Amino acid sequence: MKLHVMRCGIIRVSDSVVFGGGVNLHNTAKQLLTPERARVALPVFCYLIEHPRGLLLVDTGWPRAVSPAGVYDEQAVSRLLPRYLAAFYRPFVPAGETAREQLEAMGIRPEDLACLILTHLDPDHVAGLRDLAGAKRIVLPEDEYFWACRTVYKARQPWPLWKDAPIERLFYRGSPLGPNRWAIDLFGDESVQLVNVPGHTDGQAAVIVRHGSRFVLLAADAAFTPRNWREDLLPGFGFDEAFQRKSLGWLAEMERDPGCAGIFCSHDADMTPQVVEF
Ligand SMILES: [Zn+2]
């Protein structure tokens, strides 16, 4: 099995996103008010998996519309996102780096994707949906969808980015996997499982892709770097610290599993695009 780790844009945020030490108003304010020069650039990773059932893409990254010339373009960003989210993410995508452009360079059209898996509905993970219409399936945990229409998520996950996409909502079920013991077995053969890792959002999924006794774990935003679980450093952006801790504890447990071929965080600044065979 082959995993392509693809960088599909950059966000520029306050360092409290990565190491804020918990979810509180101070961190939220800091994330919005941190000036340009004090921000850290974080990659936005998506993943292409060459699976026996077809090509799978996990998350979308940013579309070309957010960054028409490949650099930060405040006006283009604010056409896509409300002002407060534009100020939060300050995203751009260098030329050739959107998911669609990278797939095209590999000779892959959106219609060639057997399944596009969305880990959660934050803009940096779904804004590229507009570029990927045609994927045979687009799947999302029902629990993530349920909350996206309610409470604080309504402000955090703007509907125009994803509401009209033909998203198939799948229910988590009881499972030995994950901090909540809740997972979706995508093909019914345990080869691809969406495991609920709450904390960053309620319904967020990490994705486990298994080949024989080996697996890779795509952690989405349950952690921003392995340091979050290895050094017990809590991120500063999410909705629930207790759940964040539980999810980090589970990642630590999975990393100790001898079958683990790697845990990948969507915004790990120390990670580079790569191809992993396992
Ligand atoms: Zn993210």
Side-chain angles (χ1 to χ4, degrees):
M1 205 103 71
K2 223 182 232 184
L3 169 77
H4 300 255
V5 179
M6 309 190 306
R7 194 183 73 164
C8 300
I10 308 280
I11 52 176
R12 289 170 306 146
V13 295
S14 129
D15 60 357
S16 66
V17 168
V18 184
F19 297 122
V23 181
N24 55 56
L25 278 177
H26 172 76
N27 279 340
T28 306
K30 195 174 164 195
Q31 284 153 38
L32 288 170
L33 300 174
T34 297
E36 198 68 50
R37 64 181 183 285
R39 289 184 173 238
V40 292
L42 299 182
V44 176
F45 285 106
C46 300
Y47 309 92
L48 176 71
I49 300 149
E50 295 181 37
H51 186 275
R53 300 268 190 152
L55 295 170
L56 317 176
L57 185 70
V58 178
D59 287 339
T60 72
W62 297 103
R64 179 50 58 212
V66 88
S67 179
V71 294
Y72 179 57
D73 180 335
E74 197 174 344
Q75 282 192 343
V77 178
S78 54
R79 280 195 290 272
L80 217 70
L81 299 177
R83 187 178 290 269
Y84 56 93
L85 287 177
F88 181 95
Y89 288 107
R90 302 208 186 186
F92 69 97
V93 197
E97 238 185 59
T98 67
R100 188 189 173 112
E101 289 162 355
Q102 294 190 57
L103 292 175
E104 249 166 31
M106 289 187 254
I108 299 168
R109 300 164 305 164
E111 311 75 293
D112 298 327
L113 296 172
C115 191
L116 167 52
I117 298 169
L118 303 175
T119 60
H120 63 299
L121 288 171
D122 282 347
D124 48 326
H125 298 258
V126 300
L129 263 176
R130 57 175 58 211
D131 281 0
L132 297 163
K136 291 189 182 74
R137 291 175 79 184
I138 304 173
V139 303
L140 172 79
E142 165 64 30
D143 205 55
E144 179 70 14
Y145 186 92
F146 175 87
W147 285 108
C149 302
R150 291 164 178 83
T151 67
V152 66
Y153 294 112
K154 215 170 164 177
R156 184 174 155 183
Q157 304 177 326
W159 285 13
L161 295 181
W162 51 270
K163 198 75 167 69
D164 293 333
I167 295 174
E168 200 183 318
R169 287 134 59 186
L170 304 177
F171 283 88
Y172 287 121
R173 295 176 187 280
S175 161
L177 288 170
N180 255 351
R181 302 269 179 258
W182 240 17
I184 295 160
D185 184 355
L186 188 62
F187 299 121
D189 59 4
E190 298 187 348
S191 64
V192 179
Q193 304 206 63
L194 281 63
V195 181
N196 182 222
V197 281
H200 182 72
T201 69
D202 293 73
Q204 178 178 244
V207 180
I208 291 187
V209 185
R210 197 175 285 281
H211 184 225
S213 60
R214 305 282 287 163
F215 68 86
V216 293
L217 201 171
L218 314 176
D221 292 0
F224 287 81
T225 152
R227 291 183 61 197
N228 287 136
W229 72 81
R230 289 177 191 159
E231 300 173 35
D232 196 20
L233 297 168
L234 217 53
F237 183 51
F239 86 97
D240 188 304
E241 277 181 40
F243 275 132
Q244 274 184 334
R245 274 186 207 289
K246 273 181 87 170
S247 292
L248 289 174
W250 179 69
L251 293 175
E253 196 184 298
M254 294 307 283
E255 191 177 44
R256 289 192 294 270
D257 188 307
C260 182
I263 299 183
F264 301 86
C265 306
S266 296
H267 307 295
D268 185 349
D270 295 325
M271 201 159 90
T272 48
Q274 56 192 284
V275 180
V276 181
E277 283 194 62
F278 63 101

